[in-house]
């Protein structure tokens, strides 16, 4: 268990992210896209298929909202392309808010796993999941829809299930972000530089 002071700093950082989300309602669509791809990276590892279908439904609800900020970035275009490709295979699951988890597993799992990987990373197998999570976090950060702290949290959360060289640096940023409040501006710059290399 982490010391109480660290837990309080983590809660404070999460609270700051939530305040930022509330202060920027026009970026809800971008945040929904980021959380959706993050869910796809964690599907069957740490989240259920039904949870990811629900994230997809949140994206659909915001998709054509004229109050939502659009960047036209490569990340945004790629994730929107995923959403379009998922419309047919997820039509039934997305239309029914009272779905059954077992039905979601049968009908939605395969497209939710494969389509985002294919669009964001390209052909291959499960080894694409961690790079997809990195590209998602980097793109969402550079689009201004998530904070640097949330971006490293996304990567570290998926990286828990994968071994990757860059994961050590990301984990160190997260720990330093939580443990060294005075270092946060410098860490933000490092994290943004990392994101520019991956977006």
């Amino acid at each position: 268990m982490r010391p109480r002071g660290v837990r309080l700093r983590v809660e404070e950082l999460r609270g700051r992210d939530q305040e930022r989300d509330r202060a920027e309602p026009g970026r809800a669509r971008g945040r929904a896209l980021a959380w959706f791809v993050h869910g796809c990276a964690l599907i069957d590892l740490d989240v259920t298929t039904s949870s990811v279908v629900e994230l997809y439904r949140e994206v659909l609800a915001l998709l054509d909202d004229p109050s939502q900020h659009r960047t036209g970035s490569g990340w945004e275009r790629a994730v929107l392309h995923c959403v379009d490709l998922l419309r047919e295979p997820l039509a039934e699951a997305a239309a029914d808010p009272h779905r059954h988890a077992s039905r979601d597993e049968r009908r939605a799992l395969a497209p939710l796993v494969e389509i985002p990987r294919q669009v964001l990373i390209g052909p291959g197998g499960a080894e694409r999941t961690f790079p997809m999570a990195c590209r998602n976090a980097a793109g969402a950060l550079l689009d201004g829809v998530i904070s640097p702290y949330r971006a490293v949290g996304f990567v570290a959360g998926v990286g828990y299930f994968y071994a990757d060289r860059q994961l050590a640096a990301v984990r160190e940023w997260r720990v330093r972000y939580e443990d060294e409040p005075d270092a946060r501006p410098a860490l933000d710059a490092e994290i943004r530089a990392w994101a520019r290399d991956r977006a």
Side-chain angles (χ1 to χ4, degrees), residues 131-155:
M132 179 184 78
C134 291
R135 179 163 185 219
N136 179 55
L141 171 59
L142 295 177
D143 264 20
V145 297
I146 63 173
S147 69
Y149 179 68
R150 188 174 280 169
V152 296
F154 273 16
V155 174

Side-chain angles (χ1 to χ4, degrees), residues 84-127:
D84 285 342
L85 292 175
L86 287 164
R87 282 185 187 271
E88 185 179 335
L90 295 189
E92 186 179 340
D96 181 7
H98 306 292
R99 312 175 305 280
H100 298 286
S102 60
R103 215 175 324 157
D104 282 352
E105 291 290 334
R106 284 194 313 274
R107 296 180 180 167
L109 177 61
L112 285 170
V113 167
E114 186 52 35
I115 289 173
R117 285 184 194 163
Q118 178 70 33
V119 171
L120 290 164
I121 301 301
E127 77 281 354

Side-chain angles (χ1 to χ4, degrees), residues 115-185:
I115 289 173
R117 285 184 194 163
Q118 178 70 33
V119 171
L120 290 164
I121 301 301
E127 77 281 354
R128 297 170 296 161
T129 301
F130 185 70
M132 179 184 78
C134 291
R135 179 163 185 219
N136 179 55
L141 171 59
L142 295 177
D143 264 20
V145 297
I146 63 173
S147 69
Y149 179 68
R150 188 174 280 169
V152 296
F154 273 16
V155 174
V158 175
Y160 177 82
F161 299 95
Y162 297 92
D164 192 277
R165 286 181 298 129
Q166 63 183 303
L167 186 57
V170 172
R171 284 184 174 148
E172 182 181 336
W173 283 328
R174 186 160 113 178
V175 170
R176 287 187 61 210
Y177 218 98
E178 293 165 357
D179 292 350
E180 304 172 30
D182 292 342
R184 289 175 187 164

